Amino acid sequence: MPNWNRSSLRARTTSATAAVAALVCIGFSVLFLMFAGSKETDDAQARATAGWARVLPISRHLPAVLPAGNDGPIQVLDTHNRVVAATPGLVGKPPMAIFPPTPSDTAVRTQRTLCPPAGLKGCKTIVSIKIYTHPEGVWLIDVAIPVIPWYGSSTDLFLAIGVSVLITTMMAVGVFRAVGKTLAPVDAIRTELAEITVTGLDRRVPVPGNQAEVKLLAETANATLDRLEGAYQQLRRFTSDASHDLRSPITAMRAQLEEARMYPQDTDWAKMTEAVLAGVERLQAIVTDLLTLARLDARAPFTRDPTDLGRLVGSELDRRTYRVEIVKDLRQNVFIEGDRLRITRLLVNLLDNAERHATSQITVSVRADGPTASLEVIDDGAGFAAEHREKVFERFTRLDASRSRDAGGTGLGLAIAREIAEAHQGTLTIQDSERGARFVLRLPRTPSLSRPLTHVADTRS
Ligand SMILES: Nc1ncnc2c1ncn2[C@@H]1O[C@H](COP(=O)(O)OP(=O)(O)OP(=O)(O)O)[C@@H](O)[C@H]1O
Ligand SMILES: [Mg+2]
């Protein structure tokens, strides 16, 4: 359905074109009519001259009734303004016009427009031309010619109006159709977008073959739909994984509580309370991680303090004890701007994982790498298969081996760590390593605080 709204591009373009076409047509029409008016006036004056030329040769022997001609009604007046000869319609009538002589009246030809002149109907211009050759004095030949308006004649006027209306209408219809044809793909895109709902996120808008701009619009809309579909699928997976992970401990706790209620005498209450508390702790951990992710997703603003990454990592490592050997290679004065708590959270997630999977050693290093600060956490565990290197950053991803190894993990740690890295305009990736897993965090370095580097290397268990 075409959009008839007055603010629509189609309506506005059509009205603008019609207005411009009308103005141009009016301009040309005025020029044409002025030209036509001037030509008609010249023709009328030529008729007056022709009348004079017809009468002049017979002026000495004038008949009372002049023969009718194509030039118009004629009267010949003597020196006393008496009609001495006239064309048939004016015989016996008074002079059509009297031109009072003035002292400075030397003009051979003079004219007046009268509405009507004596003896005639309607408006006429009376052209009076002097005859000097008559023996009785200066006689006048008066010829009545039609009054010519500035536009020439009604025929010229109607012709100009008709052609202008025709051209303006043709231009408006042409532009209306052309814009409609141009906008048809946009309309098709709009219709398709309007019909896409959550249940039809796999639908895509039609991409026109030509019209580069509209093609680009359609491709951008489709790319946006791709992203939306991806985000929606991810959200669905996340919701179902989250409900599954929340339901498992709840189901387990409920079974334990029901069993205790049914067989209170046979229940080891201390053990049962311990088990239920572990379930509650797991629920609490999941909910806390979900909240953290929700805040990171909402891009909630956070503080950005200049932080020495080496020092921050060093103090976190010193705070805890590990079941494996820790090798430190921490350059100091590698400054970043960020939220210390969140960076620490990222580091703790990487260290927890590394400790869980390392066989005997974890290497942690911090160094400056051009405009970036990099942190590496390397363990000597089983590492990752290549196809899992990106997957483990998805929410609720726990690889099978670790599910059996440690059921306590929520599968949200690495997703949170990557969100924190990206919120600081950085990256967190898994890189190749000879043995085990090698996590690499890269953050923009704060150049203003860069100073000569000092080096802390240490090995501790
Ligand atoms: N250093 C590592 N070596 C081998 N596998 C790892 C390592 N770190 C993480 N993984 C794998 O990636 C999965 C996802 O890790 P992630 O930190 O996101 O979740 P989690 O450790 O299971 O739970 P959470 O950290 O939320 O307590 C882990 O379940 C584990 O299978
Ligand atoms: Mg983890």
Side-chain angles (χ1 to χ4, degrees):
M1 270 282 286
N3 185 359
W4 295 103
N5 189 329
R6 263 198 292 167
S7 64
S8 81
L9 183 63
R10 199 177 188 185
R12 276 188 295 147
T13 313
T14 307
S15 337
T17 309
V20 171
L23 279 177
V24 171
C25 284
I26 288 172
F28 276 109
S29 296
V30 168
L31 288 177
F32 164 74
L33 291 172
M34 283 166 72
F35 173 76
S38 126
K39 190 164 176 309
E40 295 273 340
T41 307
D42 289 351
D43 287 353
Q45 292 290 345
R47 279 162 67 185
T49 309
W52 170 81
R54 183 159 69 89
V55 174
L56 188 64
I58 54 170
S59 59
R60 289 181 185 228
H61 313 286
L62 276 173
V65 180
L66 294 169
N70 293 333
D71 27 37
I74 298 176
Q75 283 178 333
V76 181
L77 307 185
D78 63 11
T79 47
H80 303 290
N81 280 333
R82 283 180 306 221
V83 179
V84 288
T87 46
L90 291 172
V91 175
K93 302 270 174 69
M96 292 184 287
I98 300 295
F99 294 87
T102 58
S104 61
D105 191 4
T106 52
V108 178
R109 185 182 181 123
T110 162
Q111 65 183 48
R112 281 178 72 186
T113 296
L114 296 169
C115 290
L120 294 175
K121 286 181 186 154
C123 291
K124 296 279 181 209
T125 298
I126 312 300
V127 180
S128 181
I129 305 169
K130 289 175 181 162
I131 309 174
Y132 292 102
T133 53
H134 202 279
E136 289 180 26
V138 179
W139 282 21
L140 299 174
I141 300 176
D142 289 358
V143 185
I145 56 172
V147 177
I148 307 295
W150 69 269
Y151 51 80
S153 66
S154 313
T155 315
D156 294 333
L157 186 64
F158 289 131
L159 181 72
I161 292 176
V163 171
S164 299
V165 170
L166 189 71
I167 291 177
T168 306
T169 311
M170 278 168 58
M171 292 285 288
V173 170
V175 168
F176 187 77
R177 284 199 181 153
V179 175
K181 212 172 151 198
T182 310
L183 291 183
V186 177
D187 223 36
I189 293 171
R190 186 189 58 78
T191 313
E192 186 65 34
L193 280 177
E195 284 172 9
I196 291 176
T197 58
V198 163
T199 49
L201 273 179
D202 55 336
R203 288 171 65 169
R204 294 294 175 268
V205 302
V207 180
N210 45 17
Q211 297 184 28
E213 295 84 353
V214 184
K215 193 173 169 198
L216 203 66
L217 171 72
E219 284 170 354
T220 310
N222 281 341
T224 307
L225 287 171
D226 283 347
R227 286 200 300 277
L228 266 181
E229 190 187 5
Y232 181 68
Q233 298 297 357
Q234 197 181 344
L235 191 69
R236 271 180 64 174
R237 249 194 336 268
F238 176 69
T239 315
S240 77
D241 287 352
S243 2
H244 175 265
D245 272 61
L246 287 170
R247 207 173 46 199
S248 308
I250 292 173
T251 312
M253 286 189 297
R254 183 179 178 157
Q256 284 159 342
L257 289 171
E258 278 175 353
E259 199 183 322
R261 190 176 61 177
M262 235 186 278
Y263 311 106
Q265 277 80 26
D266 301 340
T267 302
D268 180 343
W269 286 96
K271 209 170 149 198
M272 196 276 291
T273 314
E274 197 71 28
V276 170
L277 206 59
V280 170
E281 271 168 12
R282 177 155 173 72
L283 276 182
Q284 197 177 16
I286 294 175
V287 171
T288 309
D289 282 354
L290 284 175
L291 266 176
T292 308
L293 273 171
R295 281 201 199 103
L296 285 165
D297 281 347
R299 297 273 179 267
F302 53 85
T303 51
R304 285 179 182 272
D305 304 317
T307 306
D308 184 333
L309 190 60
R311 272 182 203 281
L312 184 78
V313 173
S315 58
E316 182 55 34
L317 287 173
D318 292 343
R319 209 176 53 79
R320 318 173 8 158
T321 50
Y322 295 87
R323 68 168 182 87
V324 290
E325 179 193 13
I326 302 286
V327 179
K328 291 194 279 185
D329 179 9
L330 308 174
R331 311 281 164 111
Q332 292 194 1
N333 297 322
V334 178
F335 280 89
I336 54 147
E337 246 179 26
D339 183 327
R340 284 201 194 96
L341 278 178
R342 288 183 194 216
I343 300 285
T344 307
R345 174 78 201 270
L346 184 161
L347 178 66
V348 167
N349 285 358
L350 295 185
L351 290 174
D352 281 352
N353 285 350
E355 193 183 11
R356 195 180 300 157
H357 295 276
T359 310
S360 59
Q361 194 184 67
I362 300 173
T363 306
V364 183
S365 67
V366 169
R367 64 173 170 273
D369 197 0
T372 32
S374 80
L375 159 72
E376 290 191 10
V377 177
I378 308 167
D379 64 59
D380 58 355
F384 292 97
E387 69 267 24
H388 291 144
R389 284 191 181 178
E390 272 306 303
K391 197 174 167 13
V392 288
F393 290 104
E394 287 173 16
R395 297 169 186 194
F396 290 110
T397 300
R398 277 179 291 149
L399 303 181
D400 286 343
S402 80
R403 278 183 188 266
S404 50
R405 185 168 182 156
D406 181 6
T410 61
L412 291 169
L414 287 179
I416 291 174
R418 179 168 267 188
E419 289 278 351
I420 293 173
E422 286 175 357
H424 286 79
Q425 284 78 48
T427 56
L428 176 63
T429 50
I430 298 167
Q431 304 281 331
D432 293 339
S433 70
E434 278 175 21
R435 201 184 154 196
R438 177 173 163 227
F439 283 88
V440 180
L441 167 74
R442 289 185 202 283
L443 294 174
R445 200 150 69 95
T446 310
S448 57
L449 291 169
S450 307
R451 272 172 266 156
L453 301 180
T454 54
H455 184 194
V456 176
D458 177 20
T459 302
R460 158 179 87 79
S461 328

